[in-house]
Amino acid sequence: MGLLEKDDLSEDILPLDEVSSGMTGVGKTVVEGQKVEVFDVKIKDVIEDRDPDYSLILIEVSGDLIDETGGIAAGMSGSPIFVDGKLLGAIGYGWTLTDHRLGLVTPIEAMFDLWNGAEALTSGLTLESEIEIDGEIFQGIKFSQEESREYLTARQVSTPIMVSGLQSRTRDRLKEEFSEYNFEPIQGGGIREIDEEAELEPGSAISVQLVRGDINISSVGTLTYKKGDRVLGFGHPFMQRGASNYFLSGAYIHEVIEGLDMPFKLGSPTDMQGTITTDRNAGIAGRLYSYPAVVPLRTTVVDKDRKAERRSNVQIGQDDTYLPSLVLISALE
């Protein structure tokens, strides 16, 4: 695609060095159907990274939409944040079993680097001053699955793995095969037929699909930025594959459901829109109207006793790493 200079990008960007605590703005996301809605945002702090990587922005969300969802929900990752009409970045991280109104924003400048092939790694952030949440004092923020008394443990705002066409046995097999990615398969709907597909825009719900067809395995998130046929989303990695080959589809949100860890969006994929070509720490990047290389899988099972026949047609993204597992799961079902 070629390297991009900052001048090539939108002028409506708020650089990280111009961000300060106390600023207010709005975020955009979808909580029902395909309609992009707005919620309020307050900048709490800019959390500087000790390493030469990107810093993150601590925010607090509020408003009627947030009251409805119960806070930042899984599936809101990638929701763009604007201050005075300028794009600051995307919601990327939050906390489970605590205040869901607090989250961390990945700066849009770090996400632009996805188009340039650069990698940014963030393992921990040290705060200039202590932070208090729910009466507890923390010295810094760590990104880990293990809790710490001194550090507030942040996790990426998960992108729920929605599946359809799989029974419990194959859902369990999917979870086992992709255990390193902490997939928690949720029963969702099949491909949703939309009379008039909404055009993708910042805040739109998107679906990143591994399998599409009679069986669907997809992840629901939010589109952050669009320039021409290029898009950015999530604000955190999906499977951190680097160069990738996933289906990029629209998404229809049925409901935001209260969960034990955090609320989550229940959604279904819609029409295919393009390809996710990059999957790194700062998020995902892809192209519209350009479709991934696929492996078609057609399965026919014959029950001779009942003289019945069942057929299944699916498409699987061509990737040597996960293709064998997905073929096995699809054939097993």
Short mmCIF file of all heavy atoms in Angstrom, two decimals, residues 63-108:
data_model
loop_
_atom_site.label_atom_id
_atom_site.label_comp_id
_atom_site.label_asym_id
_atom_site.label_seq_id
_atom_site.Cartn_x
_atom_site.Cartn_y
_atom_site.Cartn_z
N GLY A 63 -23.44 9.27 30.03
CA GLY A 63 -24.56 9.60 29.16
C GLY A 63 -25.62 8.52 29.13
O GLY A 63 -25.45 7.42 29.70
N ASP A 64 -26.73 8.81 28.49
CA ASP A 64 -27.86 7.88 28.44
C ASP A 64 -27.47 6.55 27.81
O ASP A 64 -27.91 5.48 28.26
CB ASP A 64 -29.02 8.49 27.66
CG ASP A 64 -29.64 9.70 28.37
OD1 ASP A 64 -29.42 9.84 29.59
OD2 ASP A 64 -30.33 10.50 27.69
N LEU A 65 -26.67 6.60 26.75
CA LEU A 65 -26.28 5.37 26.07
C LEU A 65 -25.47 4.46 27.00
O LEU A 65 -25.66 3.24 27.03
CB LEU A 65 -25.46 5.70 24.83
CG LEU A 65 -25.09 4.52 23.93
CD1 LEU A 65 -26.32 4.00 23.20
CD2 LEU A 65 -24.02 4.92 22.92
N ILE A 66 -24.58 5.06 27.78
CA ILE A 66 -23.75 4.29 28.72
C ILE A 66 -24.60 3.75 29.86
O ILE A 66 -24.39 2.62 30.33
CB ILE A 66 -22.60 5.15 29.25
CG1 ILE A 66 -21.68 5.56 28.09
CG2 ILE A 66 -21.82 4.42 30.33
CD1 ILE A 66 -21.07 4.40 27.33
N ASP A 67 -25.58 4.55 30.32
CA ASP A 67 -26.51 4.04 31.35
C ASP A 67 -27.24 2.81 30.83
O ASP A 67 -27.51 1.86 31.58
CB ASP A 67 -27.52 5.12 31.73
CG ASP A 67 -26.88 6.28 32.48
OD1 ASP A 67 -25.79 6.09 33.06
OD2 ASP A 67 -27.47 7.38 32.49
N GLU A 68 -27.56 2.81 29.55
CA GLU A 68 -28.29 1.69 28.93
C GLU A 68 -27.41 0.45 28.83
O GLU A 68 -27.88 -0.67 29.06
CB GLU A 68 -28.78 2.11 27.54
CG GLU A 68 -29.54 1.04 26.79
CD GLU A 68 -29.94 1.48 25.40
OE1 GLU A 68 -29.95 2.70 25.13
OE2 GLU A 68 -30.24 0.60 24.56
N THR A 69 -26.13 0.63 28.47
CA THR A 69 -25.24 -0.52 28.27
C THR A 69 -24.59 -1.00 29.56
O THR A 69 -24.08 -2.11 29.61
CB THR A 69 -24.12 -0.17 27.27
OG1 THR A 69 -23.32 0.89 27.82
CG2 THR A 69 -24.69 0.26 25.94
N GLY A 70 -24.57 -0.14 30.59
CA GLY A 70 -23.88 -0.51 31.82
C GLY A 70 -22.39 -0.19 31.78
O GLY A 70 -21.63 -0.65 32.62
N GLY A 71 -21.97 0.60 30.81
CA GLY A 71 -20.56 0.96 30.69
C GLY A 71 -19.99 0.50 29.36
O GLY A 71 -20.72 0.18 28.42
N ILE A 72 -18.65 0.47 29.29
CA ILE A 72 -17.97 0.00 28.09
C ILE A 72 -18.22 -1.50 27.95
O ILE A 72 -17.94 -2.27 28.87
CB ILE A 72 -16.46 0.30 28.18
CG1 ILE A 72 -16.23 1.81 28.17
CG2 ILE A 72 -15.71 -0.36 27.03
CD1 ILE A 72 -14.81 2.23 28.42
N ALA A 73 -18.75 -1.90 26.82
CA ALA A 73 -19.12 -3.30 26.60
C ALA A 73 -18.15 -3.96 25.63
O ALA A 73 -17.57 -3.30 24.76
CB ALA A 73 -20.54 -3.39 26.04
N ALA A 74 -17.95 -5.26 25.79
CA ALA A 74 -17.20 -6.02 24.80
C ALA A 74 -17.90 -5.86 23.45
O ALA A 74 -19.12 -6.02 23.35
CB ALA A 74 -17.14 -7.49 25.21
N GLY A 75 -17.13 -5.52 22.43
CA GLY A 75 -17.69 -5.19 21.14
C GLY A 75 -17.62 -3.70 20.87
O GLY A 75 -17.79 -3.25 19.73
N MET A 76 -17.32 -2.89 21.92
CA MET A 76 -17.14 -1.46 21.74
C MET A 76 -15.69 -1.13 21.39
O MET A 76 -15.37 0.05 21.16
CB MET A 76 -17.57 -0.69 22.99
CG MET A 76 -19.07 -0.59 23.15
SD MET A 76 -19.58 0.32 24.65
CE MET A 76 -19.02 1.97 24.28
N SER A 77 -14.81 -2.12 21.40
CA SER A 77 -13.43 -1.84 21.04
C SER A 77 -13.37 -1.29 19.63
O SER A 77 -14.00 -1.81 18.71
CB SER A 77 -12.57 -3.11 21.15
OG SER A 77 -13.07 -4.12 20.30
N GLY A 78 -12.62 -0.22 19.47
CA GLY A 78 -12.57 0.47 18.19
C GLY A 78 -13.47 1.69 18.14
O GLY A 78 -13.35 2.49 17.20
N SER A 79 -14.35 1.85 19.13
CA SER A 79 -15.25 3.01 19.12
C SER A 79 -14.43 4.29 19.10
O SER A 79 -13.62 4.54 19.99
CB SER A 79 -16.15 2.99 20.36
OG SER A 79 -17.00 1.86 20.35
N PRO A 80 -14.60 5.14 18.07
CA PRO A 80 -13.78 6.35 17.95
C PRO A 80 -14.15 7.39 19.00
O PRO A 80 -15.33 7.56 19.32
CB PRO A 80 -14.08 6.83 16.54
CG PRO A 80 -15.46 6.32 16.25
CD PRO A 80 -15.56 5.01 16.96
N ILE A 81 -13.14 8.11 19.49
CA ILE A 81 -13.33 9.16 20.47
C ILE A 81 -12.94 10.49 19.82
O ILE A 81 -11.86 10.62 19.24
CB ILE A 81 -12.47 8.92 21.72
CG1 ILE A 81 -12.76 7.54 22.31
CG2 ILE A 81 -12.71 10.02 22.75
CD1 ILE A 81 -14.19 7.31 22.73
N PHE A 82 -13.83 11.48 19.93
CA PHE A 82 -13.62 12.79 19.31
C PHE A 82 -13.62 13.88 20.38
O PHE A 82 -14.44 13.85 21.30
CB PHE A 82 -14.72 13.10 18.29
CG PHE A 82 -14.77 12.14 17.13
CD1 PHE A 82 -15.52 10.96 17.21
CD2 PHE A 82 -14.11 12.42 15.95
CE1 PHE A 82 -15.58 10.09 16.14
CE2 PHE A 82 -14.17 11.55 14.87
CZ PHE A 82 -14.90 10.38 14.97
N VAL A 83 -12.71 14.83 20.24
CA VAL A 83 -12.68 16.03 21.08
C VAL A 83 -12.73 17.24 20.14
O VAL A 83 -11.87 17.37 19.26
CB VAL A 83 -11.41 16.08 21.96
CG1 VAL A 83 -11.33 17.40 22.70
CG2 VAL A 83 -11.40 14.91 22.94
N ASP A 84 -13.75 18.07 20.33
CA ASP A 84 -13.95 19.23 19.45
C ASP A 84 -13.94 18.82 17.97
O ASP A 84 -13.40 19.52 17.10
CB ASP A 84 -12.87 20.29 19.69
CG ASP A 84 -12.98 20.93 21.08
OD1 ASP A 84 -14.11 20.99 21.60
OD2 ASP A 84 -11.94 21.32 21.63
N GLY A 85 -14.54 17.68 17.69
CA GLY A 85 -14.66 17.22 16.32
C GLY A 85 -13.41 16.57 15.76
O GLY A 85 -13.42 16.12 14.61
N LYS A 86 -12.35 16.48 16.55
CA LYS A 86 -11.10 15.88 16.08
C LYS A 86 -10.94 14.49 16.68
O LYS A 86 -11.19 14.28 17.86
CB LYS A 86 -9.91 16.77 16.46
CG LYS A 86 -9.91 18.10 15.73
CD LYS A 86 -8.62 18.87 15.97
CE LYS A 86 -8.58 20.14 15.13
NZ LYS A 86 -7.29 20.87 15.30
N LEU A 87 -10.49 13.56 15.85
CA LEU A 87 -10.37 12.17 16.26
C LEU A 87 -9.15 11.98 17.16
O LEU A 87 -8.02 12.27 16.77
CB LEU A 87 -10.26 11.27 15.03
CG LEU A 87 -10.08 9.77 15.28
CD1 LEU A 87 -11.25 9.21 16.08
CD2 LEU A 87 -9.94 9.02 13.94
N LEU A 88 -9.41 11.46 18.35
CA LEU A 88 -8.35 11.22 19.34
C LEU A 88 -7.80 9.80 19.23
O LEU A 88 -6.59 9.57 19.32
CB LEU A 88 -8.91 11.46 20.74
CG LEU A 88 -8.05 11.11 21.94
CD1 LEU A 88 -6.78 11.94 21.94
CD2 LEU A 88 -8.83 11.33 23.23
N GLY A 89 -8.68 8.82 19.06
CA GLY A 89 -8.26 7.43 19.01
C GLY A 89 -9.45 6.51 19.20
O GLY A 89 -10.60 6.91 18.97
N ALA A 90 -9.18 5.28 19.64
CA ALA A 90 -10.21 4.25 19.76
C ALA A 90 -10.16 3.60 21.13
O ALA A 90 -9.08 3.33 21.67
CB ALA A 90 -10.03 3.19 18.69
N ILE A 91 -11.33 3.33 21.68
CA ILE A 91 -11.39 2.54 22.92
C ILE A 91 -10.75 1.18 22.65
O ILE A 91 -11.11 0.49 21.70
CB ILE A 91 -12.84 2.35 23.39
CG1 ILE A 91 -13.41 3.68 23.88
CG2 ILE A 91 -12.92 1.30 24.50
CD1 ILE A 91 -14.86 3.61 24.34
N GLY A 92 -9.76 0.83 23.48
CA GLY A 92 -9.06 -0.43 23.27
C GLY A 92 -8.99 -1.32 24.49
O GLY A 92 -8.94 -2.55 24.36
N TYR A 93 -9.02 -0.72 25.69
CA TYR A 93 -8.81 -1.49 26.91
C TYR A 93 -9.78 -1.05 28.00
O TYR A 93 -10.21 0.10 28.05
CB TYR A 93 -7.37 -1.35 27.42
CG TYR A 93 -6.34 -1.85 26.43
CD1 TYR A 93 -5.84 -1.01 25.44
CD2 TYR A 93 -5.89 -3.17 26.47
CE1 TYR A 93 -4.92 -1.46 24.51
CE2 TYR A 93 -4.97 -3.63 25.56
CZ TYR A 93 -4.49 -2.77 24.58
OH TYR A 93 -3.57 -3.22 23.66
N GLY A 94 -10.11 -1.99 28.89
CA GLY A 94 -11.00 -1.69 30.01
C GLY A 94 -10.70 -2.64 31.15
O GLY A 94 -9.67 -3.34 31.16
N TRP A 95 -11.61 -2.69 32.10
CA TRP A 95 -11.41 -3.54 33.27
C TRP A 95 -12.64 -4.39 33.50
O TRP A 95 -13.77 -3.94 33.30
CB TRP A 95 -11.14 -2.67 34.50
CG TRP A 95 -9.79 -2.04 34.43
CD1 TRP A 95 -8.61 -2.58 34.82
CD2 TRP A 95 -9.48 -0.75 33.88
NE1 TRP A 95 -7.58 -1.71 34.56
CE2 TRP A 95 -8.07 -0.57 33.99
CE3 TRP A 95 -10.23 0.29 33.32
CZ2 TRP A 95 -7.42 0.57 33.57
CZ3 TRP A 95 -9.58 1.42 32.89
CH2 TRP A 95 -8.19 1.57 33.02
N THR A 96 -12.42 -5.62 33.90
CA THR A 96 -13.52 -6.53 34.22
C THR A 96 -13.80 -6.47 35.71
O THR A 96 -12.92 -6.14 36.52
CB THR A 96 -13.18 -7.97 33.82
OG1 THR A 96 -12.00 -8.38 34.53
CG2 THR A 96 -12.92 -8.08 32.33
N LEU A 97 -15.04 -6.78 36.07
CA LEU A 97 -15.46 -6.89 37.48
C LEU A 97 -15.17 -5.61 38.26
O LEU A 97 -14.87 -5.66 39.45
CB LEU A 97 -14.78 -8.09 38.15
CG LEU A 97 -15.02 -9.45 37.48
CD1 LEU A 97 -14.18 -10.53 38.15
CD2 LEU A 97 -16.49 -9.82 37.51
N THR A 98 -15.23 -4.46 37.61
CA THR A 98 -15.00 -3.18 38.28
C THR A 98 -15.78 -2.11 37.53
O THR A 98 -16.75 -2.42 36.83
CB THR A 98 -13.49 -2.85 38.37
OG1 THR A 98 -13.33 -1.67 39.15
CG2 THR A 98 -12.86 -2.69 37.01
N ASP A 99 -15.36 -0.87 37.63
CA ASP A 99 -16.08 0.25 37.02
C ASP A 99 -15.94 0.21 35.50
O ASP A 99 -14.88 0.49 34.96
CB ASP A 99 -15.53 1.57 37.57
CG ASP A 99 -16.41 2.76 37.19
OD1 ASP A 99 -17.27 2.59 36.29
OD2 ASP A 99 -16.24 3.83 37.78
N HIS A 100 -17.04 -0.13 34.81
CA HIS A 100 -17.00 -0.24 33.35
C HIS A 100 -17.10 1.11 32.65
O HIS A 100 -17.11 1.15 31.41
CB HIS A 100 -18.12 -1.16 32.87
CG HIS A 100 -18.05 -2.55 33.43
ND1 HIS A 100 -16.90 -3.28 33.41
CD2 HIS A 100 -19.00 -3.32 34.03
CE1 HIS A 100 -17.13 -4.46 33.97
NE2 HIS A 100 -18.38 -4.50 34.36
N ARG A 101 -17.15 2.18 33.41
CA ARG A 101 -17.17 3.51 32.81
C ARG A 101 -15.77 4.05 32.53
O ARG A 101 -15.62 5.10 31.93
CB ARG A 101 -17.95 4.48 33.70
CG ARG A 101 -19.41 4.10 33.84
CD ARG A 101 -20.16 4.98 34.82
NE ARG A 101 -21.52 4.50 34.96
CZ ARG A 101 -22.55 4.91 34.21
NH1 ARG A 101 -22.35 5.81 33.28
NH2 ARG A 101 -23.75 4.42 34.40
N LEU A 102 -14.76 3.34 32.99
CA LEU A 102 -13.38 3.74 32.74
C LEU A 102 -12.79 2.86 31.65
O LEU A 102 -13.04 1.66 31.59
CB LEU A 102 -12.54 3.62 34.02
CG LEU A 102 -12.90 4.57 35.16
CD1 LEU A 102 -12.11 4.21 36.41
CD2 LEU A 102 -12.63 6.01 34.76
N GLY A 103 -12.00 3.47 30.79
CA GLY A 103 -11.37 2.71 29.71
C GLY A 103 -10.10 3.41 29.26
O GLY A 103 -9.79 4.53 29.67
N LEU A 104 -9.35 2.73 28.40
CA LEU A 104 -8.12 3.27 27.84
C LEU A 104 -8.26 3.39 26.33
O LEU A 104 -8.75 2.46 25.67
CB LEU A 104 -6.93 2.37 28.18
CG LEU A 104 -6.52 2.32 29.66
CD1 LEU A 104 -5.50 1.21 29.88
CD2 LEU A 104 -5.95 3.65 30.12
N VAL A 105 -7.83 4.51 25.80
CA VAL A 105 -7.93 4.80 24.37
C VAL A 105 -6.56 4.62 23.72
O VAL A 105 -5.55 5.16 24.21
CB VAL A 105 -8.45 6.23 24.14
CG1 VAL A 105 -8.29 6.64 22.68
CG2 VAL A 105 -9.90 6.33 24.57
N THR A 106 -6.51 3.88 22.62
CA THR A 106 -5.31 3.78 21.79
C THR A 106 -5.27 4.99 20.86
O THR A 106 -6.22 5.23 20.11
CB THR A 106 -5.35 2.49 20.95
OG1 THR A 106 -5.41 1.36 21.82
CG2 THR A 106 -4.10 2.38 20.08
N PRO A 107 -4.20 5.79 20.91
CA PRO A 107 -4.14 7.00 20.06
C PRO A 107 -4.23 6.64 18.58
O PRO A 107 -3.69 5.63 18.13
CB PRO A 107 -2.76 7.59 20.39
CG PRO A 107 -2.40 7.02 21.72
CD PRO A 107 -3.00 5.64 21.75
N ILE A 108 -4.90 7.51 17.84
CA ILE A 108 -5.07 7.25 16.41
C ILE A 108 -3.72 7.25 15.70
O ILE A 108 -3.53 6.55 14.70
CB ILE A 108 -6.04 8.28 15.78
CG1 ILE A 108 -6.40 7.89 14.34
CG2 ILE A 108 -5.47 9.68 15.85
CD1 ILE A 108 -7.08 6.54 14.21
#
